[in-house]
Amino acid sequence: MNIIPIKTPLVVKKIFSKYIWDIPTTKRVLYLTFDDGPTPEITHWVLKTLKQYQAKATFFCIGNNVEKHPEILKDIITEGHIVGNHTHNHLKGWKTSKKLYLENTLKAQKTISSVFDTFMHTSNLFRPPYGKITNKQGKKLLAIDYKIIMWDVISFDWDKNITPETCLNNVIKKAKSGSIIVFHDSVKAQKNMTYALPKVLEHFYNLGFTFEAINFN
């Protein structure tokens, strides 16, 4: 049984109010995000699927994966999506010192930036792996102008104990205008994500929603 709720409670958002959990809006907009890539084949499948609905998204990339697959990162940018930082080695903040966590995050940022000739394609968006980050780690990242992006709705696509249909319903039943939604472009999440994503896009597209990348620049 998951102890993380599908939809983040308001009280949590208020306690950690310096983190971004959703983006309030009067428009019918959703913010799809994808963690843990880039991953061969899976990330390209996501890009192709998003394009069918003129959808833009935010990809929180692991630096180590970017080192292995820089060409996929270039494809993400070419398609008009935003890239965020997900640490270099998918660190669990609660089990990592502030110094190491910061060093690992900056290493990922350098790796992501190195794929391009300029820094214009990089962003200051950061998502902590597992959503686990200490107060000291968060304060340090905020102090150097990172925006810490959490979520309003989490699909649980990586969870082998749920069905693809449950993954789909997690999003359809809980998402609303301004929701930041978590999927994963990873091998672990592939089965559930590839079932749910097209149906989420179709469902909300038919309701008049658009899908935008997170961008505060």
Side-chain angles (χ1 to χ4, degrees):
M1 182 176 179
N2 289 307
I3 60 172
I4 301 173
I6 297 166
K7 188 174 182 69
T8 304
L10 182 59
V11 65
V12 174
K13 296 178 182 180
K14 287 184 175 180
I15 292 172
F16 299 99
S17 60
K18 292 185 178 181
Y19 302 165
I20 296 168
W21 299 90
D22 52 30
I23 301 176
T25 178
T26 58
K27 299 178 181 179
R28 290 194 167 192
V29 179
L30 292 175
Y31 298 89
L32 298 175
T33 66
F34 297 86
D35 291 2
D36 296 356
T39 309
E41 297 183 6
I42 299 172
T43 303
H44 281 133
W45 180 90
V46 170
L47 293 175
K48 182 179 178 180
T49 304
L50 292 173
K51 193 171 186 178
Q52 293 173 8
Y53 292 89
Q54 299 83 52
K56 301 305 179 186
T58 309
F59 290 78
F60 289 95
C61 295
I62 297 172
N64 187 45
N65 285 344
V66 171
E67 282 185 340
K68 298 173 184 175
H69 312 290
E71 72 287 350
I72 304 179
L73 186 71
K74 291 180 180 179
D75 291 338
I76 292 171
I77 295 296
T78 299
E79 292 291 329
H81 304 289
I82 294 294
V83 173
N85 187 325
H86 202 47
T87 75
H88 197 80
N89 299 103
H90 205 257
L91 297 185
K92 188 174 292 185
W94 295 357
K95 294 185 176 181
T96 309
S97 70
K98 183 182 74 171
K99 182 176 183 293
L100 178 57
Y101 199 78
L102 179 63
E103 289 174 350
N104 201 263
T105 298
L106 295 179
K107 183 177 181 180
Q109 197 71 40
K110 183 177 180 181
T111 301
I112 292 168
S113 299
S114 70
V115 174
F116 306 100
D117 294 330
T118 70
F119 288 82
M120 63 182 293
H121 295 290
T122 62
S123 74
N124 63 340
L125 306 182
F126 175 80
R127 173 172 286 159
Y130 313 100
K132 296 180 178 180
I133 184 170
T134 68
N135 186 48
K136 289 182 179 180
Q137 291 162 354
K139 281 185 175 181
K140 183 60 180 179
L141 290 174
L142 291 170
I144 57 175
D145 294 328
Y146 276 99
K147 292 188 180 297
I148 299 176
I149 311 298
M150 303 301 271
W151 58 80
D152 181 46
V153 176
I154 191 162
S155 68
F156 286 100
D157 52 355
W158 76 89
D159 189 343
K160 65 180 181 180
N161 295 315
I162 72 167
T163 66
E165 290 80 9
T166 298
C167 177
L168 170 64
N169 287 329
N170 286 345
V171 178
I172 286 181
K173 292 182 178 180
K174 298 295 184 180
K176 62 180 181 60
S177 294
S179 287
I180 297 174
I181 301 165
V182 179
F183 283 107
H184 294 76
D185 52 332
S186 66
V187 173
K188 192 174 183 179
Q190 183 176 13
K191 180 181 177 181
N192 287 337
M193 186 274 292
T194 54
Y195 174 87
L197 179 61
K199 292 176 172 57
V200 165
L201 287 163
E202 181 180 18
H203 174 82
F204 285 104
Y205 182 86
N206 289 338
L207 291 176
F209 279 78
T210 58
F211 308 90
E212 296 182 6
I214 301 169
N215 191 350
F216 296 102
N217 295 327

